Amino acid sequence: MSLVNQTCWVVGGVGTVGRGITRGLLQAGATVIVNSRSPERLEKLSDNLGNPERLVTVHGSLLPGYASKTVLDTLNSTTLNHVVAHGAVRWWAKPTAGEFQYYEFRAGCDETYSLNIRTNERLLDMTPEEFMQSSVQLASLHFSAAQQLIPRLRASRAPASYTFVTGDGSGKPGGKRTCMGEINSHHVWGLSSALRQELTQNSGGVTCREIRVGLPINESENEKGFSDTGNPLSEDIGDLCAGLTTATPKVGDNGRLIRVEEYDTLNALLGEYNVTLDDDVGTLPHYMCEKETLDQNI
């Protein structure tokens, strides 16, 4: 099966894992929408993928107060079939020099700073006001995105899906995150769990699931070491998203939490959810953020 003639929106599609997800959906034949407040990151994503015709880049935000306009302008006459929302960010990456614009610190690769989340390592040194503002940023973005995009999926009157992709680096040896990184990540887990439960009871034709990945994301040849495909893990995650999206929903799929903590599990899932790929989409180059970030978890 493929995603030809279907439209997918990738929330958080310009980072390392987001690029892999975008690539996987494109290779399955979908038209893929990716938004960002950074036109430079959108341009880089398109260049990395060989400027495919079916990639639609949108300069706009899905944060509260902006999401409605971004979605309305983008989907004015377009039917939306699937959403993949990437909720795990590279919290260990260091910021680069930049300035605030659209509430965005223009770091090279860390979405923590693009959300203007304070990264004070000492939790108890934060003021209550700083904690209140920073602790809900990521969950607020994903709530706002879901609130705007799920009605569009229901309006398609066809089998649709909303898939969260989250990371499980918490509490693992070498899994470094800032205090706000930990809190924001767990808030997205909670949002995903609540939304999966709610859509199980009243789906409106939308299958909601979560892929929670507990494997290391590297930007080196080491990332290819344990996967049967020989691809970077970010690309395998993209292929898995594409396979799940094309598959006919089965009993138990709605509300499902898929844990990927071993490569054997990943390889089995890739075999179960195989998808027809479009060879016209080129290989996604590895995205080097920082050389010292090898062997970290998403």
Side-chain angles (χ1 to χ4, degrees):
M1 298 180 67
S2 73
L3 293 171
V4 173
N5 297 324
Q6 297 194 53
T7 300
C8 304
W9 192 310
V10 180
V11 180
V14 294
T16 301
V17 178
R19 283 175 169 83
I21 295 169
T22 300
R23 177 183 180 275
L25 296 171
L26 283 168
Q27 286 198 144
T31 296
V32 181
I33 300 169
V34 178
N35 74 284
S36 174
R37 289 166 295 159
S38 169
E40 294 86 358
R41 298 187 77 185
L42 291 169
E43 182 178 356
K44 185 171 185 177
L45 172 67
S46 185
D47 288 344
N48 284 168
L49 292 169
N51 299 299
E53 292 183 3
R54 287 183 279 102
L55 175 63
V56 179
T57 57
V58 176
H59 182 206
S61 174
L62 290 177
L63 282 168
Y66 300 92
S68 177
K69 184 178 187 305
T70 299
V71 171
L72 180 63
D73 290 347
T74 304
L75 298 178
N76 185 32
S77 58
T78 301
T79 298
L80 184 65
N81 304 103
H82 305 281
V83 173
V84 179
H86 176 228
V89 300
R90 308 184 67 214
W91 303 106
W92 58 87
K94 298 177 182 178
T96 59
E99 60 185 17
F100 285 99
Q101 183 175 356
Y102 286 92
Y103 302 99
E104 175 181 3
F105 189 85
R106 302 181 66 175
C109 54
D110 186 2
E111 289 85 347
T112 308
Y113 297 92
S114 72
L115 288 174
N116 191 15
I117 294 175
R118 187 180 175 104
T119 56
N120 193 327
E121 289 289 350
R122 295 182 179 274
L123 180 62
L124 296 182
D125 288 345
M126 300 180 71
T127 67
E129 291 76 18
E130 289 170 342
F131 179 84
M132 290 173 63
Q133 179 183 9
S134 297
S135 62
V136 299
Q137 285 287 301
L138 194 59
S140 295
L141 182 151
H142 282 281
F143 170 77
S144 178
Q147 191 174 51
Q148 295 297 322
L149 294 174
I150 287 177
R152 297 284 183 161
L153 294 174
R154 286 173 165 166
S156 69
R157 301 187 181 277
S161 67
Y162 200 104
T163 303
F164 286 93
V165 178
T166 63
D168 190 8
S170 166
K172 296 191 174 183
K176 299 178 182 178
R177 279 181 176 165
T178 65
C179 58
M180 282 297 106
E182 286 290 278
I183 292 169
N184 274 269
S185 295
H186 284 72
H187 278 177
V188 174
W189 290 2
L191 174 65
S192 168
S193 176
L195 190 57
R196 287 187 283 113
Q197 180 179 1
E198 184 168 307
L199 290 184
T200 298
Q201 298 169 352
N202 181 24
S203 70
V206 180
T207 297
C208 186
R209 62 175 74 89
E210 177 185 347
I211 304 171
R212 188 173 297 173
V213 184
L215 294 171
I217 292 287
N218 301 327
E219 284 69 59
S220 74
E221 291 299 314
N222 294 333
E223 190 183 341
K224 302 180 181 181
F226 301 99
S227 171
D228 286 350
T229 66
N231 295 328
L233 179 58
S234 54
E235 294 183 11
D236 280 341
I237 293 172
D239 290 343
L240 177 57
C241 289
L244 284 164
T245 300
T246 61
T248 302
K250 299 180 293 187
V251 175
D253 276 355
N254 203 4
R256 183 182 178 190
L257 172 61
I258 303 170
R259 296 183 182 271
V260 182
E261 298 179 347
E262 304 288 342
Y263 279 96
D264 286 346
T265 302
L266 174 62
N267 292 326
L269 287 167
L270 288 171
E272 179 181 358
Y273 295 100
N274 202 358
V275 62
T276 302
L277 302 181
D278 182 350
D279 293 333
D280 289 339
V281 178
T283 300
L284 177 65
H286 301 312
Y287 180 56
M288 292 298 293
C289 179
E290 291 186 87
K291 293 182 180 178
E292 65 267 26
T293 61
L294 303 181
D295 302 320
Q296 301 292 346
N297 295 86
I298 65 171

